[in-house]
Amino acid sequence: MAEPLLHLSGVHTHIGPYHILHGVDFAAPAGQLTMLLGRNGAGKTTTLRTIMGLWQASSGTIRFDGNDITKNGTPDIACAGIGYVPESMGIFAGLTVRENIVLAARSGPVDSARLDWMLGLFPALRRFWNLPAGNLSGGQKQMLAIARAIAEPRRLLLIDEPTKGLAPVMVRSMIEAFKALKEAGETILLVEQNFHAASVLGDTVIVMDDGRVVHSGIMSELVADKNLQRRLLGLSLDTHQ
Amino acid sequence: MTGTTVEPSAPSEPLPRTRTDWLPLLLVPALALLALPLVGSGSTWATLTVAGLAMGMMIFLMASGLTLVFGLMDIINFGHGVFISLGAYASLLVLGPLAGWAQSDSVWLNLALLLFCILAAMGVTGTVGAVFERIIVRPVYGSHLKQILVTMGGLIVAEQAIHAIWGASPIPIPLPATLRGALIIGDVVMERYRLVAVGIGLVVFVGMQLLLNRTRIGLLIRAGVENPEMVEALGYRIRRLFVSVFVAGSALAGLGGVMWAFYRQTLTAGMGMEVMVLVFIVIIIGGLGSVGGCFVGSVLVALVANYVGFIEPKLALISNILVMALVLIWRPQGLFPVARR
Ligand SMILES: Nc1ncnc2c1ncn2[C@@H]1O[C@H](COP(=O)(O)OP(=O)(O)O)[C@@H](O)[C@H]1O
Ligand SMILES: [Mg+2]
């Protein structure tokens, strides 16, 4: 197994009076796609938000590329090279597609090779380049959110349920896009409810329940073991895609 | 890095259209046309319209900063009125030493004097704004109730400070010589100073639009008004943006204060607080956080006030509230609602 790029150990997170994460431990190896699975309310979103510093971990450590980022502010964490696509997508609806991308590219204009690559993944964005992002469909917004995360080279992408609410044809497009990102060598931590998507994309898998990691291993092994799937994921995952 | 092409939407899907929202903009000419037959005389109507536009610009200057501060930082700043008063008083710093310029019959010298007053006001209110943000506003981020209490407290302290420095009695400030009186074209009477106010208001409005739409800082401000958390997750320190917007908003209030003071030709410590009702009305009408909405809202409220004041003076006092109620019935989020998470 490759050296972990991201490493959480014993991470606890409180939101106000609620104790949400109860000691989360896992590692995301560089150059791999790590799937983060689990029922609704398992704490997947909270985990990603804690990594981004949007919630402060109350104890435990988060190491990224060998550095302790547990106490860092969100902008510093982003600048260390982590791209984040929140569950709500966080699109700036009043800004055009172009302006959304311009903001995402902190160090200046996106170079044309990268832009071509991005827009090759998501051609719709080229068509709607100068339209307010609020006018896009749900799937197109999701594509914009991901394009924003890769507008510049990043070390790690955190992506929260990119196929949520998408029509099957869109889900297939999304899977193709992730395959291309994997080919490009991106390190990705992907939260997914769609087990089909998870099984074709994941290298490693982490399953959470009730604010804890209850399983971690190789994705193909989980795919092969129906009993383990049922025990870990119950019926909450859509296995019929 | 090539190869995979993703067709994201079925070919039959129609292109989403840009919806430029013209309706609220049409309200202004519609209102002006509606008022014409009610006012009766064309020349009176023109005079009232210019007066309304001038008043609208001054309200806009005083309100524009507050709407951005609210939109970006979710801060309810009752202390904003202080910056209006303070800006007005700061013009005394210039009017004293340059008293001669006010008497001069050179338009340019008079306008330069006004410009210096504005610069002094913006300098003072911007600086005080930075301090106010640091010691009064920063500790109460996230709690509206505390913001209201603490900024009210700041307001009272600052008003008393103005009394202590400049005295409690009203101070007259006459307009520079050539800006007094009216320009008469045909039988339309237009006060000169009002034309100047319209000009300055338009310059500031256009400048703000350019800044917000054409610069990276402007993009960040617009994005931050919608979703500050995401701006941070993209790697920007929004704190700095907050402070600059607060300072700029305070300086704009100072600018508005100078314009307002010359219009009233008197300084009182409470003058800022007196217009705050209007200021809150126009930012609510415009849509919290929207500079364009604030502009249209200001012009609308001021025009209505002038027309109604002429047609049916008894209704003048409630006309603002009436406009606000009608707008909110039509668009509960204001004329140009700002998209939020
Ligand atoms: N802002 C919040 N305030 C209080 N509780 C929250 C908040 N966000 C999430 N939770 C709770 O934390 C738990 C984990 O939520 P979340 O991380 O969103 O789960 P998942 O993404 O796995 O569906 C849930 O029980 C949820 O109700
Ligand atoms: Mg979630």
Side-chain angles (χ1 to χ4, degrees), chain A residues 193-239:
Chain A
Q193 289 280 3
N194 180 313
F195 193 70
H196 168 71
S199 60
V200 295
L201 290 172
D203 298 311
T204 38
V205 60
I206 295 154
V207 182
M208 288 186 68
D209 197 16
D210 222 357
R212 293 177 181 82
V213 171
V214 292
H215 173 84
S216 59
I218 309 292
M219 187 74 218
S220 53
E221 290 175 8
L222 180 62
V223 172
D225 190 340
K226 293 275 185 269
N227 281 331
L228 188 60
Q229 274 174 41
R230 199 162 307 122
R231 184 164 64 74
L232 290 174
L233 302 166
L235 299 172
S236 72
L237 287 181
D238 179 5
T239 54

Side-chain angles (χ1 to χ4, degrees), chain B residues 223-305:
Chain B
V225 168
E226 272 191 44
N227 191 341
E229 190 176 276
M230 194 62 216
V231 170
E232 292 229 288
L234 288 177
Y236 297 96
R237 266 167 266 282
I238 206 156
R239 195 53 260 155
R240 284 190 208 155
L241 199 62
F242 279 3
V243 175
S244 0
V245 168
F246 196 93
V247 168
S250 309
L252 282 170
L255 163 57
V258 172
M259 298 305 294
W260 186 241
F262 276 115
Y263 181 75
R264 302 176 358 138
Q265 305 198 24
T266 337
L267 296 174
T268 55
M271 62 181 280
M273 203 51 217
E274 284 157 25
V275 284
M276 279 310 281
V277 176
L278 270 182
V279 165
F280 276 115
I281 287 178
V282 301
I283 68 176
I284 290 168
I285 288 181
L288 293 165
S290 162
V291 170
C294 175
F295 184 77
V296 176
S298 303
V299 171
L300 214 55
V301 162
L303 281 177
V304 168

Side-chain angles (χ1 to χ4, degrees), chain A residues 67-88:
Chain A
N67 300 313
D68 187 343
I69 59 164
T70 322
K71 295 270 181 288
N72 292 8
T74 301
D76 294 322
I77 293 170
C79 289
I82 304 186
Y84 175 52
V85 179
E87 199 169 6
S88 57

Side-chain angles (χ1 to χ4, degrees), chain A residues 67-206:
Chain A
N67 300 313
D68 187 343
I69 59 164
T70 322
K71 295 270 181 288
N72 292 8
T74 301
D76 294 322
I77 293 170
C79 289
I82 304 186
Y84 175 52
V85 179
E87 199 169 6
S88 57
M89 300 181 285
I91 292 301
F92 304 121
L95 273 57
T96 64
V97 170
R98 185 185 67 81
E99 289 169 333
N100 269 274
I101 304 261
V102 164
L103 274 193
R106 278 190 303 273
S107 57
V110 186
D111 73 79
S112 62
R114 191 162 188 97
L115 199 61
D116 283 345
W117 172 63
M118 263 165 51
L119 296 178
L121 292 176
F122 306 119
L125 299 183
R126 197 192 288 280
R127 280 195 283 146
F128 304 144
W129 197 234
N130 283 313
L131 284 186
N135 293 17
L136 301 182
S137 73
Q140 291 158 351
K141 280 186 185 142
Q142 192 62 257
M143 292 176 177
L144 175 56
I146 297 171
R148 223 169 39 175
I150 58 173
E152 281 178 331
R154 303 270 181 249
R155 317 274 325 272
L156 170 69
L157 301 176
L158 306 179
I159 305 180
D160 202 344
E161 295 206 40
T163 64
K164 192 172 81 173
L166 300 192
V169 56
M170 285 293 230
V171 174
R172 278 197 292 280
S173 303
M174 204 53 94
I175 291 176
E176 292 308 313
F178 279 110
K179 282 184 182 162
L181 288 177
K182 281 182 66 168
E183 262 169 50
E186 301 281 351
T187 306
I188 304 174
L189 177 60
L190 181 60
V191 172
E192 195 43 89
Q193 289 280 3
N194 180 313
F195 193 70
H196 168 71
S199 60
V200 295
L201 290 172
D203 298 311
T204 38
V205 60
I206 295 154

Side-chain angles (χ1 to χ4, degrees), chain A residues 10-77:
Chain A
V11 171
H12 288 253
T13 299
H14 290 76
I15 304 179
Y18 307 105
H19 192 170
I20 311 288
L21 298 186
H22 303 264
V24 172
D25 297 285
F26 71 81
Q32 294 201 8
L33 193 152
T34 304
M35 295 298 318
L36 182 52
L37 304 180
R39 306 181 286 106
N40 257 330
K44 307 180 294 295
T45 297
T46 306
T47 302
L48 295 198
R49 287 180 59 88
T50 306
I51 297 169
M52 281 312 288
L54 293 166
W55 300 129
Q56 197 69 54
S58 33
S59 64
T61 51
I62 303 169
R63 299 180 71 78
F64 175 64
D65 199 19
N67 300 313
D68 187 343
I69 59 164
T70 322
K71 295 270 181 288
N72 292 8
T74 301
D76 294 322
I77 293 170

Side-chain angles (χ1 to χ4, degrees), chain B residues 167-229:
Chain B
S169 42
I171 301 174
I173 55 161
L175 271 170
T178 63
L179 302 184
R180 290 175 209 151
L183 213 61
I184 301 171
I185 302 172
D187 48 4
V188 178
V189 182
M190 292 179 290
E191 281 185 37
R192 293 204 177 102
Y193 181 68
R194 288 178 177 167
L195 295 175
V196 172
V198 171
I200 291 178
L202 282 177
V203 167
V204 171
F205 175 64
V206 171
M208 282 180 87
Q209 288 296 333
L210 287 177
L211 178 86
L212 286 173
N213 292 305
R214 300 285 167 82
T215 68
R216 199 179 182 82
I217 291 276
L219 275 189
L220 276 172
I221 293 173
R222 283 161 60 211
V225 168
E226 272 191 44
N227 191 341
E229 190 176 276

